[in-house]
């Protein structure tokens, strides 16, 4: 039911019905719709610019969390890299120096990194790509370091065998030693009466004092000879050989393995000898070398001083 609207007419002093034309009605309807539309669109723009949609907010929070966790991961990679660097430094500056090996140069340590980095080009996110490249470099350096440590281990095994084989101790203990004849080279033979090379050292000690193998090796000869009497030759490998003469007797046989410090015989006076002593020789690559040069590593200062003191007491050899 339509309700009639009235308006007061001052001229006629009456309330008269309001007549609304269809055109006015359409105009008012249009104005109403225009205002409503404007307010609606404006409100929507304001809302969108002020408040993020619920889904996007959650996504942003996840992203921020991931970034934070990524930074933690990256720091862990950095820490691992620093630790590896310390290991590489120790390898180059300590282990390799001790074992007479050249340090690895940087190009060797970074070999193969370039090719692997190319794989990271397909990774879209910079943070992920950066961490991937860092991890690849780390992996490569670890592989090189593992190979290096393997090489060090092999070299150490070789060197340990070589060090154990060196004739590095005295063949007669200082407690038994009464005199050391340090003459090495040309000298007058005490029995033959002419000058000839004396190719070793003479350790004067009581008859029966033990004689020790001075390094690991195998007995190549254990027999009697006119000049050296009961003698033992030990082959140490690495070009080194030792010879022990004038024993009362030897207690090893040819082909037997001996260890440094093992008793191989006893001091005697057999062969061309003028008194109980051990004639001791060291050969390197078939050439006689002065044995005294090998003792220094094995003696403490006091022992070495005693050796020199005893050596200075005599200028003759006993052959
Ligand atoms: Zn001698």
């Amino acid at each position: 039911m339509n309700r009639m609207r009235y308006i007061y007419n001052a001229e006629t002093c009456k309330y008269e019905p309001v007549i609304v034309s269809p055109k006015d009605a359409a105009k008012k309807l249009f104005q109403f719709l225009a205002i409503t539309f404007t307010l609606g669109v404006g409100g929507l723009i304001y809302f969108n610019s002020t408040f993020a949609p619920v889904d996007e907010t959650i996504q942003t929070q996840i992203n921020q969390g991931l970034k934070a966790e990524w930074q933690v991961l990256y720091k862990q990679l950095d820490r691992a890299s620093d630790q590896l660097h310390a290991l590489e430094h120790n390898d180059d500056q300590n282990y390799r120096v001790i074992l007479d090996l050249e340090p690895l140069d940087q190009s060797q340590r970074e070999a193969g990194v370039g090719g692997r980095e190319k794989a990271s080009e397909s990774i879209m996110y910079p943070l992920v790509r950066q961490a991937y490249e860092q991890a690849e470099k780390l992996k490569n350096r670890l592989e090189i370091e593992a190979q290096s440590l393997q090489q060090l281990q092999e070299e150490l095994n070789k060197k340990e065998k070589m060090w154990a084989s060196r004739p590095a101790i005295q063949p007669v203990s200082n407690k038994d030693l009464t005199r050391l004849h340090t003459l090495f080279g040309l000298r007058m033979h005490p029995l033959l009466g002419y000058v000839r090379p004396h190719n070793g050292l003479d350790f004067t000690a009581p008859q029966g004092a033990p004689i020790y193998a001075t390094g690991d090796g195998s007995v190549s000869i254990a027999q009697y000879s006119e000049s050296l009497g009961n003698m033992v030759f030990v082959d140490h490998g690495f070009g080194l050989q030792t010879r022990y003469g004038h024993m009362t007797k030897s207690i090893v046989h040819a082909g037997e393995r001996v260890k440094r410090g093992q008793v191989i015989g006893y001091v005697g006076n057999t062969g061309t000898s003028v008194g109980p002593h051990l004639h001791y020789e060291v050969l390197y690559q078939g050439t006689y070398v002065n044995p005294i040069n090998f003792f220094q590593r094995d003696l403490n200062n006091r022992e070495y001083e005693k050796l020199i003191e005893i050596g200075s007491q005599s200028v003759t050899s006993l052959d």
Side-chain angles (χ1 to χ4, degrees), residues 170-217:
Q170 287 178 225
V172 174
S173 168
N174 269 346
K175 69 179 170 58
D176 294 324
L177 191 63
T178 53
R179 183 171 285 184
L180 171 67
H181 297 252
T182 53
L183 277 184
F184 177 85
L186 287 176
R187 63 94 185 87
M188 181 68 75
H189 191 283
L191 290 176
L192 301 176
Y194 57 84
V195 172
R196 72 171 196 179
H198 185 243
N199 296 318
L201 298 180
D202 293 334
F203 292 81
T204 305
Q207 179 115 355
I211 296 167
Y212 306 102
T214 53
D216 292 3

Side-chain angles (χ1 to χ4, degrees), residues 85-102:
H85 181 73
L87 186 62
E88 290 168 339
H89 181 79
N90 248 343
D91 180 336
D92 282 338
Q93 303 302 319
N94 296 324
Y95 307 148
R96 286 181 172 270
V97 171
I98 290 168
L99 293 171
D100 295 327
L101 291 172
E102 287 293 317

